Amino acid sequence: MKRISGLAATIRAIEGGATAVNATKQRLLPAALCRTYSVMPRLFPLDRQLPYHSNRSMLFSVSASASSVAEDVHAKVQPHANNFQPKDVVLYQYEACPFCNKVKAFLDYHDIAYKIVEVNPISKKEIKWSDYKKVPVLMVDGEQMVDSSDIIDKLFQRIHPEMSVDSLLDGDEDRKWRGWVDNHLVHVLSPNIYRTTSEALESFDYITTHGNFSFTERIIAKYGGAAAMYFVSKKLKKKHNIVDERAALYEAAETWVGALKGCEFLGGFKPNLADLAVFGVLRPIRHLKSGRDMLEHTRIGDWYTRMESRVGVSSKIKA
Ligand SMILES: N[C@@H](CCC(=O)N[C@@H](CS)C(=O)NCC(=O)O)C(=O)O
C-alpha cells in the first residue's frame, strides 16, 4: 500500500496532475523527480541492464513516498559486498592522498574489510617490491591492483559480476563526473591544502600519528614533505591556471552541488561511483582549514553529511 501511494505521489508530481500545487509540493518536486528516476526501471522493466544507481536505489525508493523525503533513511545499507568477500585486502597509501581516499570510500561503503600500510612519502620503502611507484596500490587476495579508477572498476565488477561498468544506462553521467574528479577536482585540492606554510604543515601532521615510522622519519616526512609540497603546489596552481585557489575550491564545490540537481546524490537516492569519488577526495581535507572553509562558504555540507552517513565508519582493520 505504501509502495502504491509512494508511486502515485511520484507520478502525480511528474505529470503535474495535481491542480492545487501548494508550496510544500513545490519544495518536494525535485526530490520526487530523483525518486522517480530511481523507481522508473522497476515500473518499466527493461530488457537491458539497469543503471548502477537505479538498480541499487530500488531497495529504498519503492518503499518511500514523496512526502517521506525528510525521514529518508541515512543509515548505512549493508551488506553491499555479498558476492565478493575477499579474505585479505591491503591498501598501500598516503593518508592524505585523494586517489587513495577514493578507494577507501569505495571499500568503506561496500563494507570490504582492509588493512592499511602507510607508505613513507619520502622513501616509499613500503612499495619497493612493486614496479608501480605511486599509491594507491591495492592487494586483493594476492592480486595487485593499481590506479584508483581502475581499482574501483575492478572491484565494482567483482561485486556486480552481472553488470559491466561501461554498459550502465547512466554510465556516461557517472563517468563524466568521475572524470571531473580526476581531471579537475584533485588539481584544485593541492594548491588549497598546501596554500600556506601552516596549512602545508597541518596537511602533513597525519604522519606524526600514522604509519610504522621512526621518530626521525616522521619529522623528516612532516617538515620535508610540507616544505616540498608548499612549493610544488605553487607550480601546480600555475600549471592548472588557478588564480585564487580558495575561489576555485568553492567553485568546484558549487559545481558539484549544481550537478546534484536537487537530488540527494548524483546517483538519485543512493550514492553512485561519482558520489563516492567526490566524497573520497574531499574526506581527507574535511577537517583541514581548507575543508572547513569550503563547508562554511558553499552549499556542499548537506550532501557531504548524507555521504558520511551512507559510507559509514571505516572498514579498516588492524594490520
Ligand atoms: N592516476 C593515479 C594517480 C595516483 C597518484 O598520482 N598518486 C600520487 C599520490 S596522491 C603518487 O603516488 N605520486 C607519486 C609520489 O608520491 O611519488 C590514481 O588514480 O591512482
Side-chain angles (χ1 to χ4, degrees):
M1 192 56 205
K2 202 175 176 193
R3 279 185 190 187
I4 292 168
S5 67
L7 227 48
T10 306
I11 290 167
R12 273 203 305 279
I14 279 198
E15 289 175 342
T19 43
V21 180
N22 59 31
T24 309
K25 278 185 183 160
Q26 284 192 8
R27 188 170 48 79
L28 289 172
L29 189 57
L33 289 169
C34 303
R35 193 166 300 282
T36 302
Y37 182 38
S38 307
V39 168
M40 277 303 186
R42 178 69 161 247
L43 277 175
F44 309 108
L46 302 171
D47 55 358
R48 291 176 289 170
Q49 285 174 324
L50 296 174
Y52 167 58
H53 70 245
S54 302
N55 204 4
R56 292 162 51 81
S57 54
M58 274 191 285
L59 291 170
F60 271 84
S61 55
V62 290
S63 64
S65 70
S67 59
S68 70
V69 168
E71 325 142 15
D72 208 7
V73 264
H74 285 172
K76 186 171 178 174
V77 185
Q78 18 188 346
H80 291 286
N82 292 355
N83 303 321
F84 178 61
Q85 292 172 346
K87 289 189 184 64
D88 188 34
V89 179
V90 185
L91 178 68
Y92 293 82
Q93 65 146 24
Y94 301 153
E95 180 67 18
C97 157
F99 304 104
C100 306
N101 278 282
K102 258 167 63 185
V103 174
K104 275 198 286 192
F106 183 93
L107 295 170
D108 292 338
Y109 181 68
H110 291 89
D111 294 321
I112 299 174
Y114 57 94
K115 294 173 213 151
I116 280 185
V117 175
E118 192 64 33
V119 175
N120 183 321
I122 310 275
S123 68
K124 293 197 214 158
K125 63 179 188 304
E126 295 77 10
I127 51 169
K128 279 262 150 52
W129 53 269
S130 173
D131 289 340
Y132 188 72
K133 295 300 167 210
K134 292 183 179 182
V135 290
V137 173
L138 190 72
M139 293 301 292
V140 180
D141 288 338
E143 178 189 349
Q144 181 184 202
M145 297 182 184
V146 299
D147 191 279
S148 57
S149 292
D150 285 351
I151 294 171
I152 289 166
D153 284 352
K154 278 189 180 138
L155 294 176
F156 177 88
Q157 291 204 294
R158 297 203 183 166
I159 293 167
H160 302 280
E162 76 290 358
M163 299 170 79
S164 107
V165 181
D166 288 331
S167 69
L168 303 179
L169 294 180
D170 67 325
D172 285 351
E173 184 75 349
D174 200 351
R175 278 227 174 262
K176 175 182 136 188
W177 287 103
R178 288 176 70 195
W180 175 80
V181 172
D182 288 351
N183 302 320
H184 178 73
L185 185 56
V186 291
H187 299 312
V188 173
L189 299 181
S190 297
N192 274 283
I193 67 173
Y194 307 118
R195 183 175 69 144
T196 60
T197 46
S198 64
E199 286 188 69
L201 282 169
E202 183 193 28
S203 300
F204 269 92
D205 200 42
Y206 78 88
I207 206 92
T208 57
T209 49
H210 290 65
N212 194 16
F213 309 133
S214 69
F215 177 76
T216 317
E217 281 176 320
R218 289 187 199 282
I219 296 298
I220 292 173
K222 176 169 174 178
Y223 291 95
M229 286 314 295
Y230 173 79
F231 291 109
V232 168
S233 74
K234 304 293 167 225
K235 278 196 177 160
L236 291 174
K237 188 175 158 182
K238 220 179 219 169
K239 181 175 168 195
H240 297 291
N241 296 319
I242 298 170
V243 180
D244 176 337
E245 55 280 87
R246 277 298 196 271
L249 180 63
Y250 300 162
E251 195 184 319
E254 286 297 332
T255 298
W256 177 247
V257 173
L260 299 175
K261 297 195 179 89
C263 297
E264 283 188 55
F265 304 104
L266 191 80
F269 286 88
K270 293 186 79 178
N272 64 10
L273 295 179
D275 285 293
L276 288 170
V278 177
F279 177 72
V281 303
L282 293 182
R283 193 156 57 161
I285 79 157
R286 164 65 187 95
H287 295 288
L288 300 179
K289 177 158 176 30
S290 47
R292 296 194 301 272
D293 286 352
M294 177 185 70
L295 260 75
E296 194 183 321
H297 292 97
T298 73
R299 295 170 299 155
I300 203 168
D302 289 346
W303 168 84
Y304 187 90
T305 305
R306 284 194 292 275
M307 283 301 296
E308 268 186 328
S309 58
R310 290 299 176 96
V311 171
V313 292
S314 170
S315 353
K316 180 175 107 176
I317 52 175
K318 234 175 147 47

